[in-house]
Structure formats: structure tokens, C-alpha cells
């Protein structure tokens, strides 16, 4: 990609607050973007070959949306956590094993997509995020869901296609959790906390493709209560 093309992109971005450069084979975060730290609200660099997100990212104080899907990121800089206005973060299809320790400081974050990475657990940092709506952790290498999950504020948690064989009963205490996706994991029916059915806010539980037949789920105590929530929610959106 020539310099003149990049220059044109930068000029447009200065006016619109949006910088989008996808599928161009970029191997690094464009350094010239530092001229726009006080302009940009959206950056989309998906489908490139970027291996490192520079500390400079922390300077984009107005940034609301950042997308780096399908790159080659193995880690994120702590500086990312300074983005106090960031609402949407899409990092699907990278090689991330963990999140920065200060990730819980992204206080405006609503949507987080980390599908197709190499996470081994549900990051505890997510529990500090008060405005989180949707968390996608599908297609990782998560094996268990720890007790800290009970503090998660998300409305939807997608854990499809992991290797989960254990879930903390604390998941029933998530105050806003309505949708829990656990399809294609390694769950035995005995490892699914019954309180998810009898005593939680969850009104959509997706568990197809585990180590039990779905009809067995219907025999569990608390299933009727779950179905009441499920039906009430369906009516609301009908």
C-alpha cells in the first residue's frame, strides 16, 4: 500500500473520526495515526498481519470503537486500558492468551469479542466492568469457569466451542446475565449447576453439543422455572 493511499485515508479520518484500513496486509499499526490521537473515535484494522499494538494506542482519548479482528496479536499493551471512552473492542481471531492486568479500567466497555483466541480461563478483569453487555469468548481453550464469574455484569456470555468441563455455581449469581451460551463443550450434565435453572436471571441457556442429551436437561429440578423465564422473554421480544 503506497504512502499516498495512506495519506488519503488519514485525511478522510481527520474529518470523519473514522480510520478503516482492512485486509491490506499491514504488519504493523500505522505510526502516522499518532497525528490523529485527538480526532479518532473509530479504528478498524481487521484482517491484517499486525503482531503488536503499540503503547501509543493509549493516547486515543476519544476512541469508542477498536477492531483488530484476524491479526496476529499475541498480547495487548497495558496502555490500552487508558481508553476511558472505549465501548466496543473486537479482537476475534488473534493469538491472545491473556488480557492486560488493568483491563478492568476500561470503564465504558459494552461489547467485547475475543472469539478464536487462546484464552484458558474467563479473565477475572472482566468482573470490574460495570457496563459490559456482551462478552464473546467462544472458540478459545477455556476449561473451567471460576467463582469470580459471579461478579460479571454482562447480559450475554458466549462460551461456545471451548473445552469447559466445570462451571462454578456462582454463575447463577450474575446480576444481569440473561443469555448463556455453552454449546460444544465437554460438560457432563452433573457438572451443570442446577441453580442456573432454578435460581438465576438466565432466560436463554444454550447447551447443545455437550456430553449429555438435551432431553435429560428437561428432567432436572428447576427446569420449569427456567422455562417460565424463557417464555416470558420470548413474549417480550415477539
Amino acid at each position: 500500500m503506497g504512502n499516498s493511499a495512506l495519506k488519503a485515508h488519514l485525511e478522510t479520518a481527520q474529518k470523519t473520526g473514522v480510520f478503516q484500513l482492512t485486509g491490506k496486509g499491514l504488519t504493523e499499526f500505522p505510526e502516522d495515526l499518532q497525528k490523529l490521537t485527538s480526532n479518532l473515535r473509530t479504528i478498524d484494522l481487521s484482517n491484517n498481519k499486525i503482531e503488536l499494538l503499540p503503547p501509543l494506542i493509549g493516547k486515543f482519548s476519544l476512541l469508542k470503537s477498536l477492531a483488530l479482528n484476524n491479526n496476529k496479536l499475541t498480547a495487548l499493551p497495558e496502555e490500552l486500558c487508558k481508553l476511558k471512552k472505549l465501548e466496543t473492542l473486537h479482537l476475534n481471531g488473534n493469538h491472545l492468551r491473556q488480557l492486560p492486568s488493568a483491563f478492568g479500567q476500561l470503564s465504558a466497555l459494552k461489547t467485547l469479542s475475543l472469539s478464536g483466541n487462546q484464552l484458558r480461563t474467563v479473565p477475572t478483569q472482566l468482573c470490574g466492568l460495570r457496563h459490559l453487555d456482551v462478552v464473546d469468548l467462544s472458540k478459545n481453550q477455556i476449561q473451567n469457569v471460576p467463582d469470580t464469574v459471579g461478579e460479571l455484569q454482562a447480559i450475554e456470555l458466549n462460551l461456545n466451542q471451548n473445552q469447559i468441563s466445570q462451571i462454578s455455581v456462582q454463575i447463577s449469581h450474575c446480576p444481569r446475565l440473561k443469555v448463556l451460551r455453552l454449546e460444544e463443550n465437554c460438560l457432563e450434565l452433573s457438572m451443570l449447576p442446577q441453580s442456573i435453572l432454578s435460581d438465576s436471571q438466565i432466560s436463554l441457556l444454550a447447551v447443545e453439543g455437550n456430553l449429555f442429551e438435551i432431553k435429560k436437561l428437561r428432567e432436572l429440578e428447576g427446569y420449569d422455572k427456567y422455562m417460565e423465564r424463557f417464555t416470558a422473554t420470548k413474549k417480550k421480544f415477539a
Side-chain angles (χ1 to χ4, degrees):
M1 168 150 188
N3 275 347
S4 56
L6 183 59
K7 204 167 169 233
H9 271 281
L10 288 167
E11 281 171 11
T12 308
Q14 194 162 3
K15 296 183 190 117
T16 61
V18 177
F19 184 83
Q20 186 177 28
L21 200 55
T22 58
K24 298 289 185 206
L26 296 181
T27 53
E28 49 191 45
F29 188 86
E31 223 168 79
D32 288 342
L33 281 184
Q34 58 192 355
K35 299 169 189 161
L36 300 178
T37 48
S38 55
N39 301 62
L40 292 185
R41 289 185 303 280
T42 300
I43 296 176
D44 186 355
L45 292 165
S46 296
N47 305 317
N48 283 294
K49 295 173 182 171
I50 297 168
E51 292 179 18
L52 271 180
L53 194 54
L56 152 79
I57 192 68
K59 298 204 165 105
F60 292 87
S61 53
L62 297 180
L63 202 62
K64 278 190 158 186
S65 173
L66 176 61
L68 284 151
N69 295 325
N70 305 318
N71 276 280
K72 297 190 169 184
L73 299 172
T74 52
L76 301 169
E78 288 288 341
E79 287 80 1
L80 174 72
C81 309
K82 293 179 179 164
L83 300 176
K84 294 287 179 259
K85 296 205 161 153
L86 193 67
E87 293 179 7
T88 308
L89 180 57
H90 291 294
L91 295 164
N92 301 325
N94 280 282
H95 309 290
L96 299 169
R97 288 165 185 258
Q98 58 196 44
L99 298 179
S101 57
F103 198 83
Q105 292 172 15
L106 289 170
S107 48
L109 200 61
K110 291 180 181 173
T111 303
L112 174 63
S113 300
L114 286 161
S115 180
N117 278 279
Q118 294 170 17
L119 299 172
R120 292 185 174 271
T121 185
V122 177
T124 52
Q125 297 95 312
L126 302 186
C127 298
L129 299 168
R130 293 280 164 252
H131 298 285
L132 211 49
D133 290 337
V134 180
V135 182
D136 186 354
L137 301 175
S138 61
K139 300 182 185 171
N140 276 277
Q141 296 162 14
I142 298 169
Q143 295 176 357
N144 62 26
V145 180
D147 288 349
T148 44
V149 76
E151 294 167 41
L152 190 69
Q153 299 289 323
I155 296 170
E156 176 169 343
L157 176 59
N158 186 343
L159 291 165
N160 289 349
Q161 293 178 295
N162 277 282
Q163 299 156 17
I164 297 167
S165 58
Q166 281 186 310
I167 300 179
S168 166
V169 67
Q170 297 296 326
I171 199 156
S172 347
H173 299 162
C174 293
R176 299 167 69 214
L177 191 61
K178 298 271 193 284
V179 178
L180 177 58
R181 301 187 186 279
L182 286 163
E183 293 179 24
E184 294 179 50
N185 277 283
C186 309
L187 282 167
E188 299 276 1
L189 190 56
S190 59
M191 286 296 170
L192 192 70
Q194 290 201 11
S195 52
I196 290 178
L197 298 172
S198 60
D199 196 22
S200 77
Q201 302 289 318
I202 295 166
S203 55
L204 178 62
L205 176 65
V207 287
E208 286 79 3
N210 279 281
L211 306 179
F212 58 86
E213 293 175 52
I214 292 298
K215 63 178 184 204
K216 295 273 189 238
L217 183 70
R218 297 178 193 135
E219 293 163 15
L220 289 185
E221 203 174 325
Y223 188 78
D224 296 350
K225 275 190 167 173
Y226 161 69
M227 279 314 289
E228 281 171 23
R229 295 193 302 272
F230 176 81
T231 313
T233 305
K234 260 185 119 164
K235 278 188 187 146
K236 210 159 64 180
F237 291 111

